[in-house]
Amino acid sequence: MNTSLKTQDINRTVWNACDTFRGVIDPSQYKDYILTMLFLKYVSDVNKEKRAAYTEKYDGDESRVNRAMSMERFILPINAHFDYLYDKRNESNIGELIDIALADIEEENREKLTSEDGSGIFRNISFNSNNLGDSKQKNQRLRNLLVDFNNLDLMPSHLASRDVIGDAYEFLIANFASDAGKKAGEFYTPGEVSTLLAKLTKSEVGARIYDPTCGSGSLLIKAAKEVGSDNFSLFGQEANGSTWALAVMNMFLHGYDGASIRWGDTIRNPKHKEEDSLMKFDTVVANPPFSLDKWGAEDAAADTFSRFWRGVPPKSRGDWAFITHMVEVAKENTGKVGVVVPHGVLFRGSSESKIRQQLIEENLLEAVIGLPANLFFGTGIPAAILVFNKKRNLPDKKNTAVLFIDASQQFESGKNQNKLRDEHIEKILQAYRDFAVGNTTPGEIEEKFSYVATFDEIKENDFNLNIPRYVDTFEEEEEVDIPAVQKEIDQLEKELSEVEGEMNRYMKELGFQE
């Protein structure tokens, strides 16, 4: 038996299982079936291994074994175990049996797998759906799916490390994102961007880490891994029900059972509260939807939590609504915020410029980092990262400078997406760290890459943060040697005349000219 199953082993088997759905339903939908089945297989194998251990420990005393199993992470009814469903794989109602299993898992684990309003994580998925074809086709596909997953032994003792199953889940989400194209941006931030953001906002031991638009939870997990210990707490909110379910499963597969992942619209209905106030966090990271229309501007002026006191963003562009929320829930004097934004956030006028100016005058903005184009799924436009730091909002630190980085050329070209490599991420981080510890002075730090702008300089630019205003990336055109060019033209004309003369001679010899 293979006693060291690696992430790539799981990836290979599960990715092949996707053939069951390819061409039948969209990748943005079939990811839910595949990832749900992976979750079910994992919790079933954990349950099987735990039961075997307790059976040995208690010499087969079934009552003591069942009592011990009732105290485990997940309660798994017999009819919800993967092995039970595999044994039933040839039944004509196998889709219905899987749906019943998932509903029973939710019911037995309500505290872990349901939202505040009682909706479970499997509410948006049905293995008995007509989307999978007519009865015969559906049953065949589900039988194939169960057979594929039966080849995986996900017992913890057979995994190469504790991160294997979580890393496999992340790999699959990334690959589904690649297949899903434009829709992928709704549930996934490219891993290297998440890594950069997590490192820029590196959390201290004991930190509360929050993502208000957490998608499938990948960015939160990257931020957690930067802590360097298990002493932290994770919080997230996601508006899309299917994506929220992915995030909940993602947390469990990474062992972050205590993560608080809520379902709902963060702007209209933020879920993380302490008594009547919004919960405060040490680290806030997010890749919110770019320029979201109908984000809730009509209710913002009367916001229960007064988040939009600096101004209400335009109703057709919600970027500054998310940024404002993030800044407001960061802990006073210590909280740090890292957010991915479209470049328009840096320079657009009207109410956005007023909010931008206010945050700069409060001395909260620490860094503006321009990213390469075509990093994100579903859009080729370049984005930027804004870093806000509430440590700067202290009486002795007014009007401190802001770091600008133009990392637009720091990438490796890919077929469909460009990528930030480790060396690109490290170059950005080093520039940021040097600035953060005071090892820089105002002005150009590295030609065509980094610049430290004073408050007065930004004020002179009317609080416009467009990166080319600070980082000069102008490339001088090479001087043209006019005499040399004229000489080359004369030579070409002479050669052309000679060729034309030779052509005419050939034409005469062939009788085409008199």
Side-chain angles (χ1 to χ4, degrees):
M1 180 180 290
N2 182 1
T3 57
S4 59
L5 194 68
K6 297 181 173 61
T7 300
Q8 54 265 38
D9 301 320
I10 302 174
N11 296 346
R12 185 166 49 251
T13 300
V14 178
W15 197 242
N16 288 338
C18 296
D19 289 339
T20 296
F21 298 109
R22 289 191 178 103
V24 181
I25 55 177
D26 188 87
S28 64
Q29 291 180 298
Y30 74 61
K31 74 178 189 306
D32 298 333
Y33 290 94
I34 295 293
L35 294 171
T36 297
M37 189 57 69
L38 179 63
F39 180 77
L40 176 60
K41 184 64 166 75
Y42 176 66
V43 296
S44 296
D45 283 357
V46 170
N47 179 278
K48 186 193 301 185
E49 185 169 88
K50 288 286 187 181
R51 179 170 286 277
Y54 286 131
T55 299
E56 182 179 350
K57 180 177 180 180
Y58 298 124
D59 296 323
D61 186 330
E62 198 66 19
S63 63
R64 296 185 72 186
V65 170
N66 288 335
R67 186 163 57 250
M69 290 300 294
S70 70
M71 305 298 290
E72 284 296 320
R73 290 171 70 196
F74 284 97
I75 306 302
L76 199 63
I78 293 174
N79 69 295
H81 199 289
F82 178 88
D83 290 350
Y84 173 88
L85 295 170
Y86 178 74
D87 289 341
K88 299 285 187 180
R89 64 189 180 280
N90 293 314
E91 297 292 329
S92 61
N93 65 335
I94 183 60
E96 182 183 5
L97 292 176
I98 297 174
D99 283 354
I100 291 171
L102 296 177
D104 287 350
I105 291 173
E106 286 178 342
E107 183 61 33
E108 292 293 336
N109 302 274
R110 292 186 64 80
E111 187 176 332
K112 291 183 172 76
L113 302 180
T114 58
S115 65
E116 290 173 316
D117 66 1
S119 297
I121 65 171
F122 303 124
R123 64 180 291 277
N124 287 325
I125 187 170
S126 172
F127 283 80
N128 202 32
S129 168
N130 291 332
N131 288 340
L132 301 180
D134 60 32
S135 293
K136 184 177 180 181
Q137 292 172 323
K138 175 173 60 183
N139 290 341
Q140 180 64 49
R141 289 182 177 119
L142 294 177
R143 185 160 55 249
N144 291 342
L145 188 65
L146 289 165
V147 168
D148 285 335
F149 273 89
N150 190 57
N151 292 325
L152 282 176
D153 178 358
L154 301 179
M155 289 187 185
S157 63
H158 298 162
L159 301 178
S161 74
R162 58 174 285 191
D163 293 328
V164 163
I165 189 70
D167 289 348
Y169 193 84
E170 288 283 303
F171 167 86
L172 291 165
I173 290 176
N175 278 271
F176 285 129
S178 180
D179 276 6
K182 188 172 183 178
K183 294 180 181 177
E186 298 173 8
F187 63 85
Y188 186 69
T189 300
E192 63 272 19
V193 178
S194 294
T195 296
L196 174 60
L197 201 51
K199 288 180 178 295
L200 286 166
T201 57
K202 182 175 171 59
S203 302
E204 302 291 333
V205 173
R208 279 183 177 178
I209 307 170
Y210 170 62
D211 183 343
T213 59
C214 70
S216 57
S218 302
L219 175 54
L220 262 181
I221 288 167
K222 285 283 176 66
K225 289 184 175 180
E226 285 300 314
V227 176
S229 93
D230 292 332
N231 183 6
F232 55 81
S233 48
L234 299 180
F235 303 83
Q237 186 164 336
E238 171 55 39
N240 181 289
S242 296
T243 308
W244 162 72
L246 293 183
V248 172
M249 288 188 281
N250 203 1
M251 294 300 148
F252 282 117
L253 292 177
H254 279 86
Y256 300 144
D257 292 26
S260 173
I261 309 298
R262 298 285 180 255
W263 177 28
D265 185 320
T266 299
I267 300 300
R268 291 183 172 89
N269 186 20
K271 294 291 182 77
H272 291 98
K273 291 173 277 192
E274 291 177 316
E275 296 181 353
D276 295 327
S277 302
L278 291 175
M279 187 179 288
K280 299 288 186 176
F281 305 94
D282 300 285
T283 308
V284 186
V285 290
N287 175 20
F290 286 2
S291 302
L292 183 66
D293 191 13
K294 300 174 184 175
W295 57 269
E298 64 279 4
D299 301 320
D303 178 54
T304 304
F305 306 102
S306 303
R307 287 170 291 174
F308 308 107
W309 60 271
R310 298 177 184 86
V312 176
K315 64 180 181 181
S316 61
R317 291 194 293 266
D319 304 299
W320 280 104
F322 288 105
I323 297 169
T324 297
H325 170 78
M326 294 172 74
V327 170
E328 287 299 291
V329 298
K331 286 185 179 179
E332 298 305 322
N333 302 327
T334 59
K336 201 165 187 179
V337 174
V339 57
V340 180
V341 297
H343 274 258
V345 164
L346 307 179
F347 55 78
R348 288 192 301 242
S350 189
S351 59
E352 292 183 285
S353 68
K354 293 176 183 175
I355 299 168
R356 188 170 60 240
Q357 177 177 340
Q358 177 69 36
L359 284 165
I360 296 169
E361 288 178 337
E362 291 174 55
N363 200 37
L364 295 177
L365 181 65
E366 186 170 42
V368 180
I369 302 167
L371 299 174
N374 204 31
L375 285 181
F376 295 86
F377 296 103
T379 177
I381 65 170
I385 290 175
L386 299 182
V387 179
F388 297 91
N389 192 341
K390 287 200 169 179
K391 288 180 181 178
R392 293 162 56 97
N393 189 22
L394 297 169
D396 62 332
K397 293 188 177 181
K398 288 297 179 187
N399 300 341
T400 309
V402 175
L403 173 67
F404 288 82
I405 294 176
D406 182 348
S408 60
Q409 302 306 309
Q410 303 296 311
F411 67 91
E412 178 179 277
S413 296
K415 183 178 179 182
N416 297 316
Q417 305 286 142
N418 292 330
K419 290 195 175 292
L420 288 170
R421 290 301 179 200
D422 290 346
E423 59 268 26
H424 305 134
I425 293 173
E426 186 53 39
K427 182 178 175 71
I428 295 167
L429 289 173
Q430 192 56 55
Y432 174 75
R433 290 171 186 143
D434 287 345
F435 171 74
V437 299
N439 287 344
T440 58
T441 55
E444 184 176 83
I445 306 303
E446 181 178 335
E447 186 180 8
K448 304 186 189 310
F449 180 71
S450 55
Y451 186 95
V452 174
T454 63
F455 172 83
D456 290 338
E457 195 172 353
I458 296 172
K459 185 177 180 180
E460 286 172 13
N461 278 311
D462 295 322
F463 300 96
N464 185 318
L465 301 175
N466 201 16
I467 297 171
R469 287 183 176 240
Y470 306 94
V471 181
D472 183 5
T473 57
F474 178 73
E475 296 282 355
E476 287 190 13
E477 293 186 12
E478 196 175 328
E479 278 191 27
V480 178
D481 186 339
I482 300 298
V485 172
Q486 186 59 55
K487 185 177 180 180
E488 187 176 355
I489 291 172
D490 292 343
Q491 180 63 30
L492 289 172
E493 288 179 341
K494 179 182 176 183
E495 291 174 4
L496 178 60
S497 178
E498 291 173 355
V499 170
E500 287 176 342
E502 202 163 337
M503 285 290 293
N504 288 335
R505 285 196 299 276
Y506 288 143
M507 296 293 278
K508 284 179 182 179
E509 289 176 8
L510 294 170
F512 290 105
Q513 287 185 0
E514 295 184 3

